[in-house]
């Protein structure tokens, strides 16, 4: 690449994000040195975005910078953790300064918003690929897990799943919808909102939690399987946004809400005894979450519509064209 | 890919490496949960290997699994840190089970050797690329940095730099040498030895330390620049292995030792007052390190041969063909 790795790192990635007292040594040495807080556990995750796989090749660099961090923030949200430090491994075909400036600015802005400092990383020549490693903390013993849900717990989802998949379809020209709705969906794909405040608040209420990234139904089934239980989702209860409702007929809209990917919402279980206090402490309309079902003894994931189990495996999955 | 991400992760990457009490939650949730030790700082690094850039396309998977972790271990060695937890972001064109088995076995074996547990990661479809994030610890305030060297400090390097670059040339058919020597060089490229014990021991003696990955001369110059000093390397003092000496004439062999990449050795500075106790505590022949020069007030990096500064910028860099 035209600029050396060191020049690139110094110019665009030096100490972007929040200023934190617990960063003892940030970007520029062989490794970062960080001070974990006493009484807390460390929470660590990594996620990769590959051009042509996770995003269209012509995706704006600002959206990539945002998204590469947001998907990792969402993992920490699902653990009930507070993010702190990020490392970036950026593989680029060539070092275009305009691209780098926009990418770094967007990543840095989201990092500052959530109190995250970029403390290290490397840049490499090769096919465009972005891997972020994110470290955070959770009070000792308080991390939310996928396991922990029990039969009878209520199942919830935050936000309006399916919007991101609809937005990707809009971006790829597979779905047409009037401007304000199309723009809203597109934004949900390009700039998903990591639910960090909700995840942290759920430490007091949820028995299990998962990040919805591969589709609500599949990820809810992972939570149930990890908890050793099954689940039943009420078809009518699955929230569909106004924008998705404008873009698709009710049937395919709800299918997309159940199976579309890239939502980065939280799916979580709450024991019956905690339902009333949860809804008092975190009013659902203000916090943006919806009950969609219940965990059951019978293993597997079922969708019930008008009292009948749907044969869902043969519907959906081909939403456009 | 043929196998789902979850199946892949469960089959090949579940809890590989060492068993550690401080892993509260490993592979399989949205993030790992880890317990940092009181009195220690956290040390974090990440490095990426890209096919066709960092290794030949036909590199054996076992060598890649080893190397992807080794280059990160080397970063921690340069900080004087002890490694603990790794995350793996693996991008693969297709999921070949034989490839994955060999890759995971080699990564796991090196991880166990150094007490590292694989605690998380993800697999993605795309051009072959491997990013490892490695976390470790160092007693509070004791991390070795690139900065910290002073004028008059002695400069050392571990091992025999240039061997890995020679080995890559052997692998690529650019350098021919009799079997035992060629094999030795090839091994130095494919399976570099992270100098973790030396790095940890150097916390008591070194004023600055860097991982030699881009070539000894360039990396030594980075250490000097980070310390705000210059450096002078004695041409005759730069160690050349017997194998490299068999493969190349003395002149190009030493040029390669100074400029070849992928060594993953340590370059470090030691104040004059600590030289005698260092060499008593860590005998150089047993620990495998060599004094190559001295840090000076004049900025920049010089190589002196027979009392004269060499015009090194116009020699070397084209070692083969």
């Amino acid at each position: 690449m035209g600029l050396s790795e060191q020049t690139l790192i110094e110019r665009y990635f030096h100490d972007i994000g929040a200023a934190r007292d617990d960063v003892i040594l940030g970007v520029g040495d062989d490794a970062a040195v960080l001070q974990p807080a006493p009484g807390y556990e460390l929470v660590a995750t990594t996620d990769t975005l590959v051009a042509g796989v996770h995003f269209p090749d012509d995706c704006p660099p600002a959206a990539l910078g945002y998204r590469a961090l947001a998907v990792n923030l969402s993992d920490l949200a699902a653990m009930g953790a507070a993010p702190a430090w990020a490392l970036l491994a950026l593989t680029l075909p060539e070092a275009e300064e305009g691209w780098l400036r926009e990418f770094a600015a967007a990543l840095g802005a989201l990092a500052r918003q959530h109190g995250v400092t970029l403390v290290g990383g490397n840049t490499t020549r090769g096919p465009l690929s972005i891997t972020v490693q994110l470290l955070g903390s959770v009070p000792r013993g308080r991390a939310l897990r996928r396991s922990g849900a029990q039969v009878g717990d209520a199942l919830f989802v935050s936000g309006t799943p399916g919007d991101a998949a609809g937005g990707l379809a809009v971006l790829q020209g597979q779905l047409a919808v009037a401007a304000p709705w199309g723009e809203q969906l597109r934004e949900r794909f390009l700039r998903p909102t990591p639910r960090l405040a909700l995840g942290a608040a759920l430490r007091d209420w949820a028995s299990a939690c998962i990040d919805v990234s591969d589709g609500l139904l599949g990820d809810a089934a992972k939570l149930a399987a990890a908890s050793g239980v099954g689940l039943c989702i009420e078809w009518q209860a699955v929230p569909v946004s106004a924008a998705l409702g404008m873009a698709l007929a009710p049937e395919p809209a709800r299918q997309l809400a159940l199976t579309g990917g890239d939502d980065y919402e939280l799916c979580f279980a709450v024991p019956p005894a905690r339902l009333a206090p949860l809804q008092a402490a975190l009013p659902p309309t203000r916090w943006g979450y919806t009950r969609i079902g219940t965990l059951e003894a019978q293993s597997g994931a079922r969708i019930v519509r008008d009292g009948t189990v749907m044969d869902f495996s043969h519907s959906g999955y081909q939403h456009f064209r």
Side-chain angles (χ1 to χ4, degrees), chain A residues 74 157-161 188 195 210-212 263-267:
Chain A
S74 182
V157 71
S158 66
T160 47
R188 298 312 302 155
R195 304 296 183 185
I210 191 171
D211 164 44
V212 179
D263 291 314
Y264 302 103
E265 296 293 349
L266 299 182
C267 176

Side-chain angles (χ1 to χ4, degrees), chain A residues 17 21 24 32 60 143 170 173 178-179 188 195 199 220 237 244-246 265 281 297 319:
Chain A
D21 289 343
I24 295 162
V170 169
R188 298 312 302 155
R195 304 296 183 185
L244 195 63
M246 290 299 291
E265 296 293 349
H319 309 288

